[in-house]
Amino acid sequence: MKAPLALVTGFCLLAAAGAHAEVYRHVDAQGNVTFSDEPMQGSETVKVKPVTTITLPKPEVVRETDQLRQEVQKEGANYDSLTFVHPQNDQAFHSGSGDVTFEVRSTPGLQRGHKYEITLDGQPVGQSSSGSVTVNNIDRGTHQAGVHIIDDQGVQVKTGPGISFTVHRPSVLRR
């Protein structure tokens, strides 16, 4: 019984030793580069960085996420509505500089520590506690904007309906 255990342990040690083997780089006369685990005449040792690993969260942490989700739903329930005032959905307008000012409102108004967050084409572009966010140099074309209310830790507690709008800008090609 001890002999098979020793044999398995020996194989495991051999496998582990191979995992930490050296890597060698060799360039031949024609400039071809070869990587190998065996040294050759004129090869140099390459330092290989350790493999990045990701540790998954423990089940207890996942349960805490459920508690956080319930708290967010409770905070978001304090708001009846969250909407864009300007621009309006499907609006098209000219903006030579590409600057667009977004106006948003919630009912009731923001609670202490909360802010409005504007997203443009899925990316956050500004936050404000006043309800007004100006985004500079937006490309011409049709864009999607979203609005969220975030708490003091940046967690979204309420999401309003998104809008689509089109920016017309002069072209440098047309003179």
Side-chain angles (χ1 to χ4, degrees), residues 20-155:
H20 296 288
E22 297 286 324
V23 176
Y24 301 94
R25 179 178 183 266
H26 179 263
V27 181
D28 65 15
Q30 291 77 31
N32 298 317
V33 179
T34 304
F35 292 93
S36 175
D37 60 350
E38 296 180 14
M40 301 191 317
Q41 181 78 21
S43 64
E44 60 185 34
T45 304
V46 177
K47 291 186 179 184
V48 179
K49 294 180 182 178
V51 176
T52 303
T53 60
I54 298 173
T55 304
L56 295 176
K58 296 178 181 170
E60 302 86 51
V61 175
V62 174
R63 286 188 203 104
E64 290 175 11
T65 302
D66 290 338
Q67 291 171 346
L68 176 63
R69 188 173 292 122
Q70 289 173 354
E71 289 175 26
V72 166
Q73 287 174 346
K74 179 181 167 190
E75 280 187 73
N78 293 334
Y79 295 100
D80 295 327
S81 67
L82 173 62
T83 59
F84 279 96
V85 176
H86 179 79
Q88 296 177 356
N89 192 34
D90 293 328
Q91 183 177 358
F93 51 89
H94 292 275
S95 176
S97 63
D99 296 350
V100 176
T101 299
F102 296 93
E103 296 286 335
V104 295
R105 298 287 178 262
S106 63
T107 305
L110 287 179
Q111 296 179 4
R112 173 180 234 112
H114 289 186
K115 291 182 180 179
Y116 298 110
E117 180 180 65
I118 304 297
T119 61
L120 183 63
D121 299 326
Q123 299 299 314
V125 292
Q127 296 177 356
S128 166
S129 55
S130 70
S132 179
V133 174
T134 299
V135 181
N136 299 314
N137 200 25
I138 296 176
D139 291 334
R140 76 171 53 104
T142 301
H143 299 276
Q144 307 297 317
V147 60
H148 310 280
I149 295 176
I150 58 171
D151 66 11
D152 57 350
Q153 297 177 356
V155 176

